[in-house]
Structures are given as C-alpha cells and as structure tokens.
Amino acid sequence: MTWLENVWLSILEGITEFLPVSSTGHLMMGTQLLGLKAEEVDTYIICIQFGAIASVVWLYWKRFFGPQAWSLYTRLLAGFIPAAVLGLAFDDLLEQLLQTPAVVGIMLITVGLFLVFMDKWLPGGDRTLDDVTHKDALLIGTVQCLAMIPGVSRSAATIAGALGCKLSKKAAMEFSFLLAVPTLSAAGLYKLLKNFDSLSSDQLYDIALGNVLSFFTALLAIRFFLRWVENRGFAFFGFYRIVVGAAFLWYLLG
C-alpha cells in the first residue's frame, strides 16, 4: 500500500464510519478500485476504526467520564453483547464476506431503499439519550448485528433500532455513536491480536497513520451528520447508497 492509498482509505473511513452508508463497504470498494487484494488489507480496514472511535470519546468525553458514566457503560455493555456473541460464532463466515465485493453493492442498494423511506416508517419519538434502558440497548445491539454483512452499515442498523425504541433522531444518532466504541474497539482489538505476528512494520505504520487521519475526518463527519439529519432527514443517504451500489455492481460486472 502506498502512502497516498493509505491517506485515501483512512479519510474514507473517517467520513463514512458514522454515516449510514457503510464504512466497511466503502473501504472494500476503495480497495477494489485501487487494485488492492482484500485479504491483504482486511486487518488494516478493521484496525483504522480506532481513530474514529477516539473521535467519539473526544466529543462525548463528559458522557464517558462524568458522574453518570457507569450507567452508560452498563447500557453499552447490553448493546455490545449480541455483536460479541455472533461475531465470535460466525468469524469465519464474516471473513469470507469481507472478501466478497458483490455483497457490498447488493446491500448498499437494499438498505438504501429502506433509508429513503425511513423518516416515514421510523419517525422516532421524543425520548432522550438518558431514557435508553438496558432492554432498549439490548434490542438496538441485536439490530446492530445486521451490520456484520458488509454494505449494511452499523450506523444505519443501530439508528433504525433506536428510532424503533422511540428515541428522537438526535438521541438515536448519539446512541449509535456511543455504541460504536465497545463494538468497534472489540472488533479492532480481536483482529489486531489475531494477526499481529504476521504484520510487518510497514503495515503497522499504515495502521497508525490511518488512525490519525480517520480521527480528524470522523470528528467533522459526526458534526455534519447531526446537523444534516435534524434538518433534512435520512433520504439523501438512501439515494446516495442506491447510486453508489448500482455503480459498483456495474463496475464489477464490467
């Protein structure tokens, strides 16, 4: 991987991680377009999520380290459990899916169609982040597991689950951001420890640089996403996914 390819992919990660467009899907498309082999960069793709995770902790540090932090941790644990169980159970299958680009295009279109109508189908309610119960968190975490399929989007799945629990749009997005911290951290650490001995010093450098760049771009993306959805809703992201997914399938078939 060249320096420029690393910059491109890490910025792409930071921009797409918290938008409902599938960061894993975009990184798989990016590696395909750059001519990189999926099996050579799958660890890199997962591990540069640490930078995006750090951006959430930075923005919501009062939630993580304030007087109500313990309550947040227990709810995030409840939301994390389904992904931990299913992720370990289907690790080999998930590895195969990460090396199947066509799945990304199909799921981008499928979930995109849902997002076009999500504002109507799941308008949410007026519940705030502090109203999230452990039962809510477990339900949202279960829906989050759909994002194990590349192209679905962890953000889209968790926000949909939160809106189904009658959270406001802002609270649904914020809980999605917060739940990313244990979920993505566990996935990244598992992948890094599993493959650490086979990583070269150049690959470790690529991961380190990628995390720095994804941190700053994720900060900007989160702020943009909150403002956009509160004013305009989710439909734009649905149309975007449909166009990109169709274009990517056309590219693969061509």
Side-chain angles (χ1 to χ4, degrees), residues 114-136:
F114 175 77
L115 282 177
V116 169
F117 300 100
M118 191 164 79
D119 292 300
K120 180 179 180 180
W121 292 342
L122 291 173
D126 56 3
R127 298 178 67 201
T128 69
L129 202 55
D130 294 322
D131 295 326
V132 176
T133 66
H134 292 84
K135 181 179 178 181
D136 294 328

Side-chain angles (χ1 to χ4, degrees), residues 189-201:
L189 285 171
Y190 176 75
K191 195 74 168 179
L192 186 61
L193 293 174
K194 182 180 179 181
N195 299 289
F196 188 80
D197 290 340
S198 63
L199 294 174
S200 66
S201 57

Side-chain angles (χ1 to χ4, degrees), residues 3 45 59-60 65 77 109 139 144 154 156 182-183 228 244:
W3 182 84
I45 287 176
L59 289 172
Y60 293 93
F65 303 108
L77 177 61
I109 295 171
L139 175 60
Q144 176 180 241
R154 191 204 63 83
T183 304
W228 180 280
V244 172

Side-chain angles (χ1 to χ4, degrees), residues 2 11 35 46 55 64 70 76 81 88 103 124 127 161 178-179 193 206 232 249:
T2 67
I11 290 176
I46 300 299
S55 72
F64 285 103
W70 179 251
L76 292 183
I81 288 173
L88 290 173
V103 173
R127 298 178 67 201
L178 298 175
L179 186 56
L193 293 174
D206 287 339
R232 297 178 178 86
L249 287 176

